[in-house]
Amino acid sequence: MWRILGQITGNGIRSEAAPEFSDELRLEGERIQHALLAILGQALTIRQVDAGSCNGCELEINALNNPYYNIEGLGIKFVASPRHADLLLVTGPVARNMELALRRTYDATPGPKLVVAVGDCGCDGGLFGESYASCGRVANVIPVDVAVAGCPPEPIEILRGILTAVRRCRAGSA
Amino acid sequence: MLISGFSLDGERLPSPLPIWRATVRAETWQVIARGVARENGRLLSLWASDRRRGAAGQLVVSAAYVVREGLLWIDLPLAERAATYPDLLPCFPAAGRLQRAAADLLGVVAEDAADRRPWLDHGAWPKGYLPLRRDASEKSLGAAREVTDYPFVRVEGDGVHEIPVGPVHAGIIEPGHFRFSVVGEKVLRLEQRLGYKHKGIERRFGELPPDEGYRLAGRVSGDSTVAYAWAWCMALESVAGCEIARRACWLRALLLERERVANHLGDLGALGNDAAFAFGLAQFSRLREDWLRLSKEAFGHRLLMDCIVPGGVASDVDRAVADRLARQCDTIERAVQVLRQVYDEHSGLQDRFMTTGRVLPELAARLGLSGLAGRASGQAADLRCDQPWAPYDQLAVNIATQTGGDVAARVAVRFDEIFESLRLIRAILSRLGESGGAVCTDLRLPARAAFGAGWVEGWRGEVFVVLEWDGESGAHVIRRCHCHDPSWQNWPVLEHAVIGNIVPDFPLINKSFNLSYAGHDL
């Protein structure tokens, strides 16, 4: 136990002193947190749906949970059911074998039902395009609010996309 | 040629690894399968291709075996009307799903195969449509069928009930369906249904310009982008009969080992988390993030996508960057040593890890468990040690094995492999300092038909790529590309690993294998 506590305290200090980009990210992170609270006034819940990605986008979405981005600290949480979600984070070109599952997930999500498509494939089908097995971009299957380009987009870009969708939703309802 | 005791009419492909290709008849196809199985060889992959060209050519089914001398690629041309071939399932359990996939994509069927349920075809494309046949047309694609129910095997008995999970999972995970038959909380049987991510990659290779293919290969399974890009480029270089520069070999190995460390760091954190030890996730995910950020600075991409290109690598590493990479190895090594001690001494964590999801060596050998999971179950195979191609021939890689076959063993192999990869990275960096020169060679693709193959030990296991090149009469196209992920071998073994465990341990067991859905579904 002492070793664990020692590791935690040691690590906490190192993280504070982290050089170069972490300071920059921290500022960015704070801006996002303030904006999120100002716009939404509450925590944001996200359901991630992989509709056919190469799994690269999932790696970067997972990275949002690491201590650098600390997405839960910003008031954003990944949830286990679309029924608990404000926003769907969808990756991949939509494989035809996933088309039905994606539609059902969308139908099960309550309002405001925001959708952020992540990655070049989600934006335009990417290298996989449209074919007998791929429906191409996410917007070909369900309505998309924001599409985040990149292969895969870096975590901070995904975060920016999420925030943009929230902001647009607010602008739309006002 | 005489390989593994078989006298075969074939050729050795120009490749840094020993790979032979031979064409056989149906009787020999079976003799070879039995012989390889008897000699403890392994089935690496099975696929089919359409080599018809007007009136000439045939449908062909191919198998790749790992034997002592290297890799044996066997082609069996099929009669047009029947398009059947002898079933490999009796010799190699891993053949089952591979044969079902070949039936879905090309309509070639294993004779006497008991399980003929479609595998990649979920009913989303028209009945009878065979996407990898030359005459497949996309005209009728609008008329998709109703998505079909899949006939899972039912377990009957008092108190048995089913838990269906997926395809969309409760987390940031790829899609697939798991059907558990349980009594109370004990798992009697797990049956997987995969193929949800099938997006037609193999056909896509033929539609892209040949010099774009490496990018698509790097997106077969994003977590193994380096392994796939290397295997694909190796296959193309083998088609061109070209050798790459020494420095490019060193840099490719540097990238591959960095990919291995990145994935192991991520998995070790996630495994702690799945056993309710959130501390582990926080610690390891921080280390992984540091690792990815330096990858971005040094190579231009956090996951190292598109860093390996046909003929070599995209960019060189200068002295200053090499020093930073070496220093990072020292930092990460110290941190992981501390964390390993924490994991080892944490009784709650070890209680969840030990004896959970066990695949004993005997079962692993029988089912053909491969790669990292195989090494945790006493299957001492690592391509970097068994067939050390350049630059591994100068690195003397130490294999990491365990015999426990449980989650704890798969955790231990990951720890050992991190330390070994850090050692390799430092060795590679010191060798880079001694040599200079080009990092990319021009490829001249031949004006004839040619075959190529690439074979690389990725972090999960062996990645294998085959290419059929058509350079005849002005053509300049890839006629067939087949990519094989080690997950094909290991997914069915996961079904066995779960038997007798409790349902809440499934996420932990699943994570300890960490298999690719994308790499399997293609």
Side-chain angles (χ1 to χ4, degrees), chain A residues 51 88 90-95 99 102-103 106 115-126 130 134-148 168:
Chain A
L88 296 179
V90 187
T91 62
V94 181
E99 188 181 351
L102 178 61
R103 281 189 207 281
Y106 181 78
V115 177
V116 175
V118 173
D120 286 347
C121 303
C123 291
D124 63 7
E130 289 178 36
S134 164
C135 305
R137 62 185 188 142
V138 176
N140 289 349
V141 178
I142 56 172
V144 170
D145 297 285
V146 171
V148 184
R168 250 191 230 176

PDB file of all heavy atoms in Angstrom, chain A residues 51 88 90-95 99 102-103 106 115-126 130 134-148 168:
ATOM      1  N   ALA A  51     -18.718   1.810 -35.621  1.00  0.00           N
ATOM      2  CA  ALA A  51     -19.561   1.269 -36.685  1.00  0.00           C
ATOM      3  C   ALA A  51     -18.732   0.610 -37.781  1.00  0.00           C
ATOM      4  O   ALA A  51     -19.255   0.262 -38.835  1.00  0.00           O
ATOM      5  CB  ALA A  51     -20.423   2.381 -37.276  1.00  0.00           C
ATOM      6  N   LEU A  88     -23.856  10.737 -29.229  1.00  0.00           N
ATOM      7  CA  LEU A  88     -23.232   9.525 -29.766  1.00  0.00           C
ATOM      8  C   LEU A  88     -21.928   9.907 -30.456  1.00  0.00           C
ATOM      9  O   LEU A  88     -21.891  10.851 -31.246  1.00  0.00           O
ATOM     10  CB  LEU A  88     -24.149   8.840 -30.784  1.00  0.00           C
ATOM     11  CG  LEU A  88     -25.486   8.290 -30.280  1.00  0.00           C
ATOM     12  CD1 LEU A  88     -26.262   7.664 -31.445  1.00  0.00           C
ATOM     13  CD2 LEU A  88     -25.272   7.259 -29.184  1.00  0.00           C
ATOM     14  N   VAL A  90     -19.438   8.452 -32.959  1.00  0.00           N
ATOM     15  CA  VAL A  90     -19.452   7.326 -33.893  1.00  0.00           C
ATOM     16  C   VAL A  90     -18.178   7.314 -34.728  1.00  0.00           C
ATOM     17  O   VAL A  90     -17.789   8.339 -35.297  1.00  0.00           O
ATOM     18  CB  VAL A  90     -20.684   7.405 -34.826  1.00  0.00           C
ATOM     19  CG1 VAL A  90     -20.789   6.147 -35.681  1.00  0.00           C
ATOM     20  CG2 VAL A  90     -21.952   7.592 -34.016  1.00  0.00           C
ATOM     21  N   THR A  91     -17.532   6.159 -34.810  1.00  0.00           N
ATOM     22  CA  THR A  91     -16.312   6.036 -35.612  1.00  0.00           C
ATOM     23  C   THR A  91     -16.537   5.102 -36.787  1.00  0.00           C
ATOM     24  O   THR A  91     -17.449   4.284 -36.786  1.00  0.00           O
ATOM     25  CB  THR A  91     -15.165   5.445 -34.779  1.00  0.00           C
ATOM     26  OG1 THR A  91     -15.537   4.132 -34.362  1.00  0.00           O
ATOM     27  CG2 THR A  91     -14.857   6.296 -33.576  1.00  0.00           C
ATOM     28  N   GLY A  92     -15.627   5.227 -37.757  1.00  0.00           N
ATOM     29  CA  GLY A  92     -15.563   4.267 -38.855  1.00  0.00           C
ATOM     30  C   GLY A  92     -16.396   4.668 -40.036  1.00  0.00           C
ATOM     31  O   GLY A  92     -17.307   5.485 -39.921  1.00  0.00           O
ATOM     32  N   PRO A  93     -16.094   4.037 -41.202  1.00  0.00           N
ATOM     33  CA  PRO A  93     -17.113   4.042 -42.233  1.00  0.00           C
ATOM     34  C   PRO A  93     -18.150   3.087 -41.671  1.00  0.00           C
ATOM     35  O   PRO A  93     -17.813   2.189 -40.907  1.00  0.00           O
ATOM     36  CB  PRO A  93     -16.385   3.417 -43.436  1.00  0.00           C
ATOM     37  CG  PRO A  93     -15.362   2.510 -42.853  1.00  0.00           C
ATOM     38  CD  PRO A  93     -14.958   3.121 -41.536  1.00  0.00           C
ATOM     39  N   VAL A  94     -19.410   3.256 -41.978  1.00  0.00           N
ATOM     40  CA  VAL A  94     -20.403   2.351 -41.403  1.00  0.00           C
ATOM     41  C   VAL A  94     -20.413   1.055 -42.217  1.00  0.00           C
ATOM     42  O   VAL A  94     -20.797   1.055 -43.388  1.00  0.00           O
ATOM     43  CB  VAL A  94     -21.803   2.986 -41.385  1.00  0.00           C
ATOM     44  CG1 VAL A  94     -22.801   2.031 -40.751  1.00  0.00           C
ATOM     45  CG2 VAL A  94     -21.769   4.311 -40.636  1.00  0.00           C
ATOM     46  N   ALA A  95     -19.947  -0.010 -41.590  1.00  0.00           N
ATOM     47  CA  ALA A  95     -19.999  -1.308 -42.260  1.00  0.00           C
ATOM     48  C   ALA A  95     -21.461  -1.683 -42.460  1.00  0.00           C
ATOM     49  O   ALA A  95     -22.288  -1.408 -41.585  1.00  0.00           O
ATOM     50  CB  ALA A  95     -19.291  -2.356 -41.410  1.00  0.00           C
ATOM     51  N   GLU A  99     -24.942  -1.396 -39.942  1.00  0.00           N
ATOM     52  CA  GLU A  99     -25.910  -0.348 -40.256  1.00  0.00           C
ATOM     53  C   GLU A  99     -27.135  -0.420 -39.339  1.00  0.00           C
ATOM     54  O   GLU A  99     -27.538   0.575 -38.738  1.00  0.00           O
ATOM     55  CB  GLU A  99     -26.326  -0.487 -41.728  1.00  0.00           C
ATOM     56  CG  GLU A  99     -27.176   0.649 -42.229  1.00  0.00           C
ATOM     57  CD  GLU A  99     -27.595   0.452 -43.683  1.00  0.00           C
ATOM     58  OE1 GLU A  99     -27.072  -0.482 -44.327  1.00  0.00           O
ATOM     59  OE2 GLU A  99     -28.446   1.225 -44.144  1.00  0.00           O
ATOM     60  N   LEU A 102     -26.363   0.484 -35.699  1.00  0.00           N
ATOM     61  CA  LEU A 102     -26.170   1.926 -35.526  1.00  0.00           C
ATOM     62  C   LEU A 102     -27.507   2.652 -35.519  1.00  0.00           C
ATOM     63  O   LEU A 102     -27.767   3.513 -34.678  1.00  0.00           O
ATOM     64  CB  LEU A 102     -25.257   2.473 -36.631  1.00  0.00           C
ATOM     65  CG  LEU A 102     -25.012   3.985 -36.584  1.00  0.00           C
ATOM     66  CD1 LEU A 102     -24.337   4.401 -35.279  1.00  0.00           C
ATOM     67  CD2 LEU A 102     -24.166   4.443 -37.765  1.00  0.00           C
ATOM     68  N   ARG A 103     -28.390   2.277 -36.452  1.00  0.00           N
ATOM     69  CA  ARG A 103     -29.725   2.903 -36.485  1.00  0.00           C
ATOM     70  C   ARG A 103     -30.477   2.653 -35.178  1.00  0.00           C
ATOM     71  O   ARG A 103     -31.119   3.545 -34.635  1.00  0.00           O
ATOM     72  CB  ARG A 103     -30.555   2.318 -37.640  1.00  0.00           C
ATOM     73  CG  ARG A 103     -30.209   2.897 -38.990  1.00  0.00           C
ATOM     74  CD  ARG A 103     -31.241   2.419 -40.018  1.00  0.00           C
ATOM     75  NE  ARG A 103     -30.677   2.376 -41.354  1.00  0.00           N
ATOM     76  CZ  ARG A 103     -30.522   3.460 -42.121  1.00  0.00           C
ATOM     77  NH1 ARG A 103     -30.911   4.632 -41.662  1.00  0.00           N
ATOM     78  NH2 ARG A 103     -29.993   3.352 -43.312  1.00  0.00           N
ATOM     79  N   TYR A 106     -29.141   4.788 -32.444  1.00  0.00           N
ATOM     80  CA  TYR A 106     -29.602   6.165 -32.623  1.00  0.00           C
ATOM     81  C   TYR A 106     -31.047   6.295 -32.139  1.00  0.00           C
ATOM     82  O   TYR A 106     -31.402   7.227 -31.408  1.00  0.00           O
ATOM     83  CB  TYR A 106     -29.470   6.561 -34.095  1.00  0.00           C
ATOM     84  CG  TYR A 106     -29.891   7.984 -34.373  1.00  0.00           C
ATOM     85  CD1 TYR A 106     -29.054   9.051 -34.063  1.00  0.00           C
ATOM     86  CD2 TYR A 106     -31.125   8.255 -34.962  1.00  0.00           C
ATOM     87  CE1 TYR A 106     -29.438  10.360 -34.308  1.00  0.00           C
ATOM     88  CE2 TYR A 106     -31.521   9.562 -35.222  1.00  0.00           C
ATOM     89  CZ  TYR A 106     -30.679  10.614 -34.891  1.00  0.00           C
ATOM     90  OH  TYR A 106     -31.061  11.894 -35.133  1.00  0.00           O
ATOM     91  N   VAL A 115     -24.852  13.912 -32.454  1.00  0.00           N
ATOM     92  CA  VAL A 115     -23.986  12.899 -33.063  1.00  0.00           C
ATOM     93  C   VAL A 115     -22.689  13.548 -33.543  1.00  0.00           C
ATOM     94  O   VAL A 115     -22.716  14.516 -34.305  1.00  0.00           O
ATOM     95  CB  VAL A 115     -24.674  12.196 -34.255  1.00  0.00           C
ATOM     96  CG1 VAL A 115     -23.717  11.203 -34.907  1.00  0.00           C
ATOM     97  CG2 VAL A 115     -25.936  11.473 -33.791  1.00  0.00           C
ATOM     98  N   VAL A 116     -21.572  13.013 -33.079  1.00  0.00           N
ATOM     99  CA  VAL A 116     -20.266  13.450 -33.566  1.00  0.00           C
ATOM    100  C   VAL A 116     -19.619  12.273 -34.284  1.00  0.00           C
ATOM    101  O   VAL A 116     -19.444  11.202 -33.693  1.00  0.00           O
ATOM    102  CB  VAL A 116     -19.368  13.928 -32.403  1.00  0.00           C
ATOM    103  CG1 VAL A 116     -17.974  14.267 -32.920  1.00  0.00           C
ATOM    104  CG2 VAL A 116     -19.987  15.130 -31.714  1.00  0.00           C
ATOM    105  N   ALA A 117     -19.303  12.466 -35.561  1.00  0.00           N
ATOM    106  CA  ALA A 117     -18.599  11.436 -36.326  1.00  0.00           C
ATOM    107  C   ALA A 117     -17.106  11.694 -36.180  1.00  0.00           C
ATOM    108  O   ALA A 117     -16.650  12.815 -36.375  1.00  0.00           O
ATOM    109  CB  ALA A 117     -19.017  11.488 -37.793  1.00  0.00           C
ATOM    110  N   VAL A 118     -16.372  10.649 -35.810  1.00  0.00           N
ATOM    111  CA  VAL A 118     -14.950  10.822 -35.535  1.00  0.00           C
ATOM    112  C   VAL A 118     -14.103  10.151 -36.610  1.00  0.00           C
ATOM    113  O   VAL A 118     -14.320   8.985 -36.941  1.00  0.00           O
ATOM    114  CB  VAL A 118     -14.603  10.226 -34.150  1.00  0.00           C
ATOM    115  CG1 VAL A 118     -13.106  10.247 -33.915  1.00  0.00           C
ATOM    116  CG2 VAL A 118     -15.313  10.999 -33.054  1.00  0.00           C
ATOM    117  N   GLY A 119     -13.124  10.896 -37.135  1.00  0.00           N
ATOM    118  CA  GLY A 119     -12.147  10.325 -38.054  1.00  0.00           C
ATOM    119  C   GLY A 119     -12.496  10.542 -39.516  1.00  0.00           C
ATOM    120  O   GLY A 119     -13.657  10.775 -39.865  1.00  0.00           O
ATOM    121  N   ASP A 120     -11.477  10.442 -40.359  1.00  0.00           N
ATOM    122  CA  ASP A 120     -11.685  10.630 -41.795  1.00  0.00           C
ATOM    123  C   ASP A 120     -12.743   9.677 -42.343  1.00  0.00           C
ATOM    124  O   ASP A 120     -13.537  10.042 -43.207  1.00  0.00           O
ATOM    125  CB  ASP A 120     -10.363  10.406 -42.549  1.00  0.00           C
ATOM    126  CG  ASP A 120      -9.400  11.575 -42.354  1.00  0.00           C
ATOM    127  OD1 ASP A 120      -9.854  12.632 -41.850  1.00  0.00           O
ATOM    128  OD2 ASP A 120      -8.212  11.434 -42.691  1.00  0.00           O
ATOM    129  N   CYS A 121     -12.766   8.441 -41.831  1.00  0.00           N
ATOM    130  CA  CYS A 121     -13.741   7.462 -42.324  1.00  0.00           C
ATOM    131  C   CYS A 121     -15.154   7.896 -41.972  1.00  0.00           C
ATOM    132  O   CYS A 121     -16.066   7.793 -42.792  1.00  0.00           O
ATOM    133  CB  CYS A 121     -13.482   6.092 -41.723  1.00  0.00           C
ATOM    134  SG  CYS A 121     -11.835   5.490 -42.028  1.00  0.00           S
ATOM    135  N   GLY A 122     -15.332   8.389 -40.756  1.00  0.00           N
ATOM    136  CA  GLY A 122     -16.644   8.864 -40.340  1.00  0.00           C
ATOM    137  C   GLY A 122     -17.078  10.079 -41.133  1.00  0.00           C
ATOM    138  O   GLY A 122     -18.256  10.294 -41.396  1.00  0.00           O
ATOM    139  N   CYS A 123     -16.089  10.900 -41.539  1.00  0.00           N
ATOM    140  CA  CYS A 123     -16.387  12.133 -42.289  1.00  0.00           C
ATOM    141  C   CYS A 123     -16.781  11.840 -43.730  1.00  0.00           C
ATOM    142  O   CYS A 123     -17.718  12.423 -44.251  1.00  0.00           O
ATOM    143  CB  CYS A 123     -15.169  13.052 -42.312  1.00  0.00           C
ATOM    144  SG  CYS A 123     -14.775  13.754 -40.718  1.00  0.00           S
ATOM    145  N   ASP A 124     -16.011  10.973 -44.399  1.00  0.00           N
ATOM    146  CA  ASP A 124     -16.275  10.766 -45.831  1.00  0.00           C
ATOM    147  C   ASP A 124     -16.043   9.326 -46.306  1.00  0.00           C
ATOM    148  O   ASP A 124     -15.939   9.080 -47.499  1.00  0.00           O
ATOM    149  CB  ASP A 124     -15.412  11.734 -46.659  1.00  0.00           C
ATOM    150  CG  ASP A 124     -13.912  11.478 -46.476  1.00  0.00           C
ATOM    151  OD1 ASP A 124     -13.562  10.483 -45.821  1.00  0.00           O
ATOM    152  OD2 ASP A 124     -13.111  12.282 -46.978  1.00  0.00           O
ATOM    153  N   GLY A 125     -15.938   8.401 -45.383  1.00  0.00           N
ATOM    154  CA  GLY A 125     -15.698   7.004 -45.776  1.00  0.00           C
ATOM    155  C   GLY A 125     -14.224   6.651 -45.777  1.00  0.00           C
ATOM    156  O   GLY A 125     -13.867   5.478 -45.801  1.00  0.00           O
ATOM    157  N   GLY A 126     -13.361   7.679 -45.813  1.00  0.00           N
ATOM    158  CA  GLY A 126     -11.918   7.453 -45.746  1.00  0.00           C
ATOM    159  C   GLY A 126     -11.411   6.561 -46.861  1.00  0.00           C
ATOM    160  O   GLY A 126     -11.967   6.557 -47.966  1.00  0.00           O
ATOM    161  N   GLU A 130     -17.169   3.626 -50.253  1.00  0.00           N
ATOM    162  CA  GLU A 130     -18.458   2.937 -50.244  1.00  0.00           C
ATOM    163  C   GLU A 130     -18.339   1.703 -51.108  1.00  0.00           C
ATOM    164  O   GLU A 130     -17.738   1.759 -52.185  1.00  0.00           O
ATOM    165  CB  GLU A 130     -19.561   3.852 -50.795  1.00  0.00           C
ATOM    166  CG  GLU A 130     -19.906   4.984 -49.850  1.00  0.00           C
ATOM    167  CD  GLU A 130     -20.969   5.920 -50.430  1.00  0.00           C
ATOM    168  OE1 GLU A 130     -21.872   5.434 -51.127  1.00  0.00           O
ATOM    169  OE2 GLU A 130     -20.872   7.135 -50.170  1.00  0.00           O
ATOM    170  N   SER A 134     -19.516  -1.499 -47.262  1.00  0.00           N
ATOM    171  CA  SER A 134     -19.366  -0.262 -46.505  1.00  0.00           C
ATOM    172  C   SER A 134     -20.345   0.793 -46.988  1.00  0.00           C
ATOM    173  O   SER A 134     -20.461   1.046 -48.191  1.00  0.00           O
ATOM    174  CB  SER A 134     -17.927   0.256 -46.657  1.00  0.00           C
ATOM    175  OG  SER A 134     -17.850   1.610 -46.250  1.00  0.00           O
ATOM    176  N   CYS A 135     -21.067   1.402 -46.036  1.00  0.00           N
ATOM    177  CA  CYS A 135     -22.007   2.476 -46.388  1.00  0.00           C
ATOM    178  C   CYS A 135     -21.298   3.818 -46.493  1.00  0.00           C
ATOM    179  O   CYS A 135     -21.940   4.845 -46.732  1.00  0.00           O
ATOM    180  CB  CYS A 135     -23.096   2.613 -45.332  1.00  0.00           C
ATOM    181  SG  CYS A 135     -24.009   1.127 -44.987  1.00  0.00           S
ATOM    182  N   GLY A 136     -19.982   3.852 -46.224  1.00  0.00           N
ATOM    183  CA  GLY A 136     -19.266   5.124 -46.274  1.00  0.00           C
ATOM    184  C   GLY A 136     -19.485   5.931 -45.010  1.00  0.00           C
ATOM    185  O   GLY A 136     -19.608   5.385 -43.917  1.00  0.00           O
ATOM    186  N   ARG A 137     -19.584   7.249 -45.175  1.00  0.00           N
ATOM    187  CA  ARG A 137     -19.591   8.148 -44.010  1.00  0.00           C
ATOM    188  C   ARG A 137     -20.796   7.912 -43.092  1.00  0.00           C
ATOM    189  O   ARG A 137     -21.838   7.418 -43.536  1.00  0.00           O
ATOM    190  CB  ARG A 137     -19.546   9.594 -44.476  1.00  0.00           C
ATOM    191  CG  ARG A 137     -20.742   9.979 -45.296  1.00  0.00           C
ATOM    192  CD  ARG A 137     -20.610  11.387 -45.856  1.00  0.00           C
ATOM    193  NE  ARG A 137     -21.872  11.772 -46.467  1.00  0.00           N
ATOM    194  CZ  ARG A 137     -22.395  12.983 -46.403  1.00  0.00           C
ATOM    195  NH1 ARG A 137     -21.741  13.947 -45.789  1.00  0.00           N
ATOM    196  NH2 ARG A 137     -23.537  13.248 -46.984  1.00  0.00           N
ATOM    197  N   VAL A 138     -20.655   8.352 -41.852  1.00  0.00           N
ATOM    198  CA  VAL A 138     -21.704   8.138 -40.854  1.00  0.00           C
ATOM    199  C   VAL A 138     -22.995   8.844 -41.267  1.00  0.00           C
ATOM    200  O   VAL A 138     -24.098   8.324 -41.084  1.00  0.00           O
ATOM    201  CB  VAL A 138     -21.230   8.636 -39.466  1.00  0.00           C
ATOM    202  CG1 VAL A 138     -22.345   8.523 -38.438  1.00  0.00           C
ATOM    203  CG2 VAL A 138     -20.012   7.846 -39.005  1.00  0.00           C
ATOM    204  N   ALA A 139     -22.848  10.039 -41.883  1.00  0.00           N
ATOM    205  CA  ALA A 139     -24.022  10.828 -42.255  1.00  0.00           C
ATOM    206  C   ALA A 139     -24.874  10.115 -43.306  1.00  0.00           C
ATOM    207  O   ALA A 139     -26.024  10.497 -43.535  1.00  0.00           O
ATOM    208  CB  ALA A 139     -23.586  12.197 -42.767  1.00  0.00           C
ATOM    209  N   ASN A 140     -24.340   9.078 -43.960  1.00  0.00           N
ATOM    210  CA  ASN A 140     -25.157   8.305 -44.898  1.00  0.00           C
ATOM    211  C   ASN A 140     -26.186   7.441 -44.169  1.00  0.00           C
ATOM    212  O   ASN A 140     -27.096   6.915 -44.789  1.00  0.00           O
ATOM    213  CB  ASN A 140     -24.276   7.394 -45.758  1.00  0.00           C
ATOM    214  CG  ASN A 140     -23.454   8.188 -46.763  1.00  0.00           C
ATOM    215  OD1 ASN A 140     -23.686   9.372 -46.949  1.00  0.00           O
ATOM    216  ND2 ASN A 140     -22.500   7.540 -47.398  1.00  0.00           N
ATOM    217  N   VAL A 141     -26.001   7.270 -42.857  1.00  0.00           N
ATOM    218  CA  VAL A 141     -26.874   6.364 -42.119  1.00  0.00           C
ATOM    219  C   VAL A 141     -27.705   7.084 -41.057  1.00  0.00           C
ATOM    220  O   VAL A 141     -28.903   6.839 -40.919  1.00  0.00           O
ATOM    221  CB  VAL A 141     -26.048   5.223 -41.478  1.00  0.00           C
ATOM    222  CG1 VAL A 141     -26.938   4.293 -40.660  1.00  0.00           C
ATOM    223  CG2 VAL A 141     -25.319   4.430 -42.565  1.00  0.00           C
ATOM    224  N   ILE A 142     -27.077   7.986 -40.281  1.00  0.00           N
ATOM    225  CA  ILE A 142     -27.827   8.768 -39.281  1.00  0.00           C
ATOM    226  C   ILE A 142     -27.402  10.236 -39.396  1.00  0.00           C
ATOM    227  O   ILE A 142     -26.320  10.521 -39.916  1.00  0.00           O
ATOM    228  CB  ILE A 142     -27.577   8.265 -37.830  1.00  0.00           C
ATOM    229  CG1 ILE A 142     -26.074   8.279 -37.505  1.00  0.00           C
ATOM    230  CG2 ILE A 142     -28.160   6.883 -37.610  1.00  0.00           C
ATOM    231  CD1 ILE A 142     -25.758   7.996 -36.050  1.00  0.00           C
ATOM    232  N   PRO A 143     -28.251  11.169 -38.915  1.00  0.00           N
ATOM    233  CA  PRO A 143     -27.885  12.593 -39.000  1.00  0.00           C
ATOM    234  C   PRO A 143     -26.669  12.889 -38.124  1.00  0.00           C
ATOM    235  O   PRO A 143     -26.587  12.402 -36.995  1.00  0.00           O
ATOM    236  CB  PRO A 143     -29.123  13.312 -38.444  1.00  0.00           C
ATOM    237  CG  PRO A 143     -30.211  12.306 -38.424  1.00  0.00           C
ATOM    238  CD  PRO A 143     -29.578  10.967 -38.312  1.00  0.00           C
ATOM    239  N   VAL A 144     -25.728  13.670 -38.654  1.00  0.00           N
ATOM    240  CA  VAL A 144     -24.494  13.983 -37.934  1.00  0.00           C
ATOM    241  C   VAL A 144     -24.434  15.481 -37.661  1.00  0.00           C
ATOM    242  O   VAL A 144     -24.728  16.289 -38.543  1.00  0.00           O
ATOM    243  CB  VAL A 144     -23.271  13.543 -38.764  1.00  0.00           C
ATOM    244  CG1 VAL A 144     -21.983  14.075 -38.166  1.00  0.00           C
ATOM    245  CG2 VAL A 144     -23.215  12.027 -38.858  1.00  0.00           C
ATOM    246  N   ASP A 145     -24.083  15.863 -36.429  1.00  0.00           N
ATOM    247  CA  ASP A 145     -23.963  17.283 -36.089  1.00  0.00           C
ATOM    248  C   ASP A 145     -22.575  17.823 -36.387  1.00  0.00           C
ATOM    249  O   ASP A 145     -22.425  18.903 -36.930  1.00  0.00           O
ATOM    250  CB  ASP A 145     -24.288  17.492 -34.610  1.00  0.00           C
ATOM    251  CG  ASP A 145     -25.722  17.125 -34.295  1.00  0.00           C
ATOM    252  OD1 ASP A 145     -26.606  17.908 -34.661  1.00  0.00           O
ATOM    253  OD2 ASP A 145     -25.955  16.038 -33.734  1.00  0.00           O
ATOM    254  N   VAL A 146     -21.568  17.073 -36.004  1.00  0.00           N
ATOM    255  CA  VAL A 146     -20.190  17.529 -36.202  1.00  0.00           C
ATOM    256  C   VAL A 146     -19.354  16.351 -36.664  1.00  0.00           C
ATOM    257  O   VAL A 146     -19.534  15.224 -36.181  1.00  0.00           O
ATOM    258  CB  VAL A 146     -19.606  18.084 -34.875  1.00  0.00           C
ATOM    259  CG1 VAL A 146     -18.115  18.363 -35.021  1.00  0.00           C
ATOM    260  CG2 VAL A 146     -20.329  19.352 -34.452  1.00  0.00           C
ATOM    261  N   ALA A 147     -18.445  16.602 -37.625  1.00  0.00           N
ATOM    262  CA  ALA A 147     -17.532  15.551 -38.074  1.00  0.00           C
ATOM    263  C   ALA A 147     -16.101  16.004 -37.792  1.00  0.00           C
ATOM    264  O   ALA A 147     -15.718  17.108 -38.160  1.00  0.00           O
ATOM    265  CB  ALA A 147     -17.733  15.268 -39.555  1.00  0.00           C
ATOM    266  N   VAL A 148     -15.345  15.175 -37.118  1.00  0.00           N
ATOM    267  CA  VAL A 148     -13.964  15.511 -36.750  1.00  0.00           C
ATOM    268  C   VAL A 148     -13.018  14.771 -37.682  1.00  0.00           C
ATOM    269  O   VAL A 148     -12.953  13.538 -37.662  1.00  0.00           O
ATOM    270  CB  VAL A 148     -13.669  15.106 -35.290  1.00  0.00           C
ATOM    271  CG1 VAL A 148     -12.275  15.550 -34.894  1.00  0.00           C
ATOM    272  CG2 VAL A 148     -14.705  15.679 -34.351  1.00  0.00           C
ATOM    273  N   ARG A 168     -23.388  23.931 -30.786  1.00  0.00           N
ATOM    274  CA  ARG A 168     -24.349  24.057 -31.873  1.00  0.00           C
ATOM    275  C   ARG A 168     -25.760  23.715 -31.418  1.00  0.00           C
ATOM    276  O   ARG A 168     -26.726  24.331 -31.841  1.00  0.00           O
ATOM    277  CB  ARG A 168     -23.959  23.106 -32.997  1.00  0.00           C
ATOM    278  CG  ARG A 168     -23.465  23.842 -34.200  1.00  0.00           C
ATOM    279  CD  ARG A 168     -23.354  22.903 -35.353  1.00  0.00           C
ATOM    280  NE  ARG A 168     -22.034  23.065 -35.942  1.00  0.00           N
ATOM    281  CZ  ARG A 168     -21.589  22.340 -36.931  1.00  0.00           C
ATOM    282  NH1 ARG A 168     -22.323  21.358 -37.403  1.00  0.00           N
ATOM    283  NH2 ARG A 168     -20.407  22.559 -37.435  1.00  0.00           N
TER     284      ARG A 168
END
